[in-house]
Amino acid sequence: MKQTLLILAVLAGCSPAAFAQKKPTPKATSATSVPTAAVLKGRAVYTQYCLTCHQADGGGVDGMNPPLTKTDYVLGDKTRLTKVLLNGLQGQDINGEEYHNVMPSQDYLNDQQMADVLTYVRNSFGNKASAVTAAEVKAVRATNKK
């Protein structure tokens, strides 16, 4: 089969290299690339535990539950965001807006689940931020003071 293609290429005036099998180019990776598996697992955790309050689009509910879209809490310091899951949140303005529902602690989630859901939130709803690792969550949990 290869010989036939080579002969056809020469007869057609094409370079045999034009018919060479091309290997896929590996995707570029960077220090800020986000693992797809973490995002998919994080979506499952979000659907189970977060969606009711923060909604399917991450938009929250005006005056009750804050949005997760492009807020300082989500895109900013990972330690602060991790502490929100560990300790819950109440009485904090989010980007200058008041929200009155209490966010309960989600400390029953294991380190990997927290890392995955935080990575998902930081990379969904128009957000783009670095991943959160289970090791980072574990370190915050170890030093967390409520």
Side-chain angles (χ1 to χ4, degrees), residues 49-122:
Y49 299 106
C50 313
L51 184 135
T52 302
C53 295
H54 294 287
Q55 306 300 298
D57 64 356
V61 178
D62 286 342
M64 295 178 64
N65 306 313
L68 301 174
T69 54
K70 300 182 181 177
T71 67
D72 296 337
Y73 265 85
V74 172
L75 296 174
D77 182 43
K78 293 192 272 186
T79 298
R80 178 176 71 171
L81 185 60
T82 302
K83 285 183 177 184
V84 170
L85 281 184
L86 288 170
N87 303 326
L89 189 67
Q90 179 178 357
Q92 295 289 318
D93 286 356
I94 309 293
N95 285 12
E97 297 288 326
E98 281 187 49
Y99 296 92
H100 300 288
N101 267 359
V102 174
M103 176 165 166
S105 168
Q106 307 293 310
D107 63 354
Y108 52 85
L109 296 174
N110 67 38
D111 295 343
Q112 189 63 59
Q113 289 173 309
M114 282 194 182
D116 291 341
V117 75
L118 293 175
T119 297
Y120 171 73
V121 167
R122 288 169 56 88

Side-chain angles (χ1 to χ4, degrees), residues 1-11 16 19:
M1 182 68 176
K2 287 182 185 179
Q3 289 177 339
T4 305
L5 286 176
L6 182 60
I7 293 169
L8 288 174
V10 171
L11 290 174
F19 290 93

